[in-house]
Amino acid sequence: MCTAAAAPAHEPTPLGQFLDQYHCPVVDRLERIYAVGDPKKHPDEYLIIDIPPRPETYVQCIFHAERKLYCEAASGYFLNAPNEPRTMRLPPTAVAALGRLGFSTDDSNGNFRLDIDTAEPPDFNAIADLMLTALHDAYGAQADTQLRFNAPYAPRASRKCVPVS
């Protein structure tokens, strides 16, 4: 007689595994970027997270004013030169996933956008979850996906982050 093995009490979802893997390094970078201070004096207070080597799989956020955060999710719009026909669009399911997170769903003139008010200090955990969930839901990133970070004020994580299991 064949019996199924008992399932663990709580099996993390693929999104949960992805968040466990990358949440800490994203929060660390966001905190350090925000600590730089004045976006008018430091216009490089942004974080871009992408999935190499695909050029149009990224989410980026920038602190652009007091208590404001502007984020974009890649649409494929900028993959081609301005006068060339567009060669990449996200599937409708990916666009819908971004819409559920609050991003615009119109990519006729650029990327999918989200401009939000933040608390003081911002909820870095919520911002990290937003960015990572967008990468997971729209671009298929998983816990074993290698991400690339572009953050001039926080190029590397400053503390040891141990994934939660």
Side-chain angles (χ1 to χ4, degrees):
M1 181 171 164
C2 182
T3 59
H10 176 338
E11 184 67 30
T13 64
L15 174 59
Q17 292 172 344
F18 182 60
L19 293 174
D20 286 348
Q21 180 69 25
Y22 284 108
H23 181 85
C24 179
V26 173
V27 168
D28 174 66
R29 285 176 172 89
L30 289 168
E31 289 172 343
R32 291 179 24 232
I33 291 165
Y34 186 78
V36 171
D38 186 351
K40 293 175 186 171
K41 292 180 185 174
H42 305 282
D44 295 334
E45 292 182 44
Y46 61 82
L47 172 60
I48 302 171
I49 309 171
D50 69 14
I51 306 169
R54 302 179 297 181
E56 285 298 317
T57 55
Y58 65 86
V59 175
Q60 62 185 357
C61 291
I62 185 168
F63 296 103
H64 69 91
E66 188 173 319
R67 297 185 176 193
K68 295 291 274 187
L69 180 75
Y70 177 75
C71 298
E72 287 186 337
S75 66
Y77 183 87
F78 296 106
L79 191 59
N80 302 96
N83 294 334
E84 291 180 5
R86 192 157 164 191
T87 59
M88 190 235 170
R89 291 187 187 274
L90 257 60
T93 55
V95 176
L98 291 171
R100 285 190 297 276
L101 292 170
F103 285 87
S104 67
T105 56
D106 178 9
D107 65 347
S108 60
N109 291 310
N111 288 326
F112 303 105
R113 298 165 306 285
L114 174 63
D115 202 15
I116 56 176
D117 294 323
T118 62
E120 181 57 44
D123 184 345
F124 300 109
N125 290 305
I127 297 166
D129 286 352
L130 170 76
M131 295 180 80
L132 292 168
T133 301
L135 286 166
H136 176 273
D137 292 357
Y139 307 107
Q142 300 292 318
D144 63 350
T145 301
Q146 184 65 41
L147 299 182
R148 181 172 45 202
F149 299 91
N150 180 354
Y153 288 107
R156 289 177 183 70
S158 66
R159 61 183 177 242
K160 178 71 173 159
C161 294
V162 179
V164 178
S165 51

